[in-house]
Amino acid sequence: MPQCSQRQKQEAISMASKADFTPEEWKTIVAAAPMVGLAVTCASPNGPWGVMKEMLSMGMAMAEMLQKGSSNPLIAELAADLKTRQTKPEPPQGLKDPEQCKESALSHVRDVNDLLKRKVKPEEADEFKKWLLAIGRRVAEASNEGGIFGFGGERVSDAEKNVLRQIAFALEQPAT
């Protein structure tokens, strides 16, 4: 039976897991990626077809994470939870326009960052934050903005670029 060093034992103990969070905090973590996607979509709604493409992109990113898994303990724990459908995130309520929707989603992202700072090792948290930013970029690139019937326009609108910077700021990450 292999012996573990003290350092390995400490690292194993300090990896983030669902048990480190209250049920409400875990709901916040589970909803993090969808809220990033929502912030991007609400920043520059591009008609029903564009919104559908962006939300589909969000779903595909989550499906890939579920299929491939992750070496990041928090992302792996999130994937396991989603596969068993243990935690049901609740959509934001009472939002009347895209600006309110975006601000609510950004507030959620700030809450996620606060939780990560308090409860997750910095390197694990950093990887989780980068994963969230990658999802945001993927959603922003899913639908051309300003074109006609999906043709022309720009890949990522100025409003989407701005909200991606706001998400990076909320997560204390460099804007790309």
Side-chain angles (χ1 to χ4, degrees), residues 8-83:
Q8 288 171 320
K9 288 178 184 175
Q10 287 175 333
E11 286 177 0
I13 292 169
S14 63
M15 290 186 181
S17 74
K18 182 178 177 179
D20 296 325
F21 300 92
T22 68
E24 282 306 308
E25 289 171 337
W26 186 248
K27 279 185 179 182
T28 300
I29 295 295
V30 169
M35 292 304 274
V36 165
L38 186 63
V40 173
T41 299
C42 291
S44 181
N46 189 23
W49 182 244
V51 169
M52 184 181 75
K53 285 169 71 175
E54 289 178 346
M55 298 292 26
L56 181 60
S57 174
M58 172 69 229
M60 294 297 291
M62 296 300 288
E64 283 176 19
M65 181 265 298
L66 292 174
Q67 181 182 21
K68 293 179 182 177
S70 175
S71 61
N72 178 285
L74 185 57
I75 297 171
E77 187 87 6
L78 174 63
D81 188 87
L82 290 173
K83 283 180 182 178

Side-chain angles (χ1 to χ4, degrees), residues 3-176:
Q3 293 287 329
C4 292
S5 71
Q6 185 64 23
R7 182 172 180 240
Q8 288 171 320
K9 288 178 184 175
Q10 287 175 333
E11 286 177 0
I13 292 169
S14 63
M15 290 186 181
S17 74
K18 182 178 177 179
D20 296 325
F21 300 92
T22 68
E24 282 306 308
E25 289 171 337
W26 186 248
K27 279 185 179 182
T28 300
I29 295 295
V30 169
M35 292 304 274
V36 165
L38 186 63
V40 173
T41 299
C42 291
S44 181
N46 189 23
W49 182 244
V51 169
M52 184 181 75
K53 285 169 71 175
E54 289 178 346
M55 298 292 26
L56 181 60
S57 174
M58 172 69 229
M60 294 297 291
M62 296 300 288
E64 283 176 19
M65 181 265 298
L66 292 174
Q67 181 182 21
K68 293 179 182 177
S70 175
S71 61
N72 178 285
L74 185 57
I75 297 171
E77 187 87 6
L78 174 63
D81 188 87
L82 290 173
K83 283 180 182 178
T84 59
R85 301 183 190 271
Q86 290 181 10
T87 306
K88 310 248 184 320
E90 296 154 16
Q93 300 295 314
L95 303 176
K96 297 183 186 334
D97 62 43
E99 186 62 26
Q100 277 185 322
C101 175
K102 180 185 82 173
E103 290 305 320
S104 176
L106 287 171
S107 176
H108 188 97
V109 172
R110 286 188 288 275
D111 292 345
V112 167
N113 189 60
D114 290 342
L115 278 172
L116 294 174
K117 283 179 11 183
R118 286 194 333 256
K119 298 202 170 198
V120 180
K121 289 190 326 184
E123 55 275 6
E124 289 177 36
D126 190 55
E127 189 176 341
F128 188 82
K129 293 173 186 184
K130 288 177 181 173
W131 174 69
L132 291 175
L133 286 168
I135 288 175
R137 283 189 295 278
R138 183 173 176 165
V139 171
E141 294 171 355
S143 176
N144 284 356
E145 305 292 322
I148 299 174
F149 300 117
F151 298 101
E154 56 189 334
R155 190 76 177 150
V156 179
S157 72
D158 288 340
E160 288 171 328
K161 290 174 188 171
N162 185 44
V163 82
L164 288 171
R165 283 190 295 274
Q166 290 175 318
I167 292 167
F169 182 77
L171 293 171
E172 299 176 356
Q173 293 289 299
T176 55

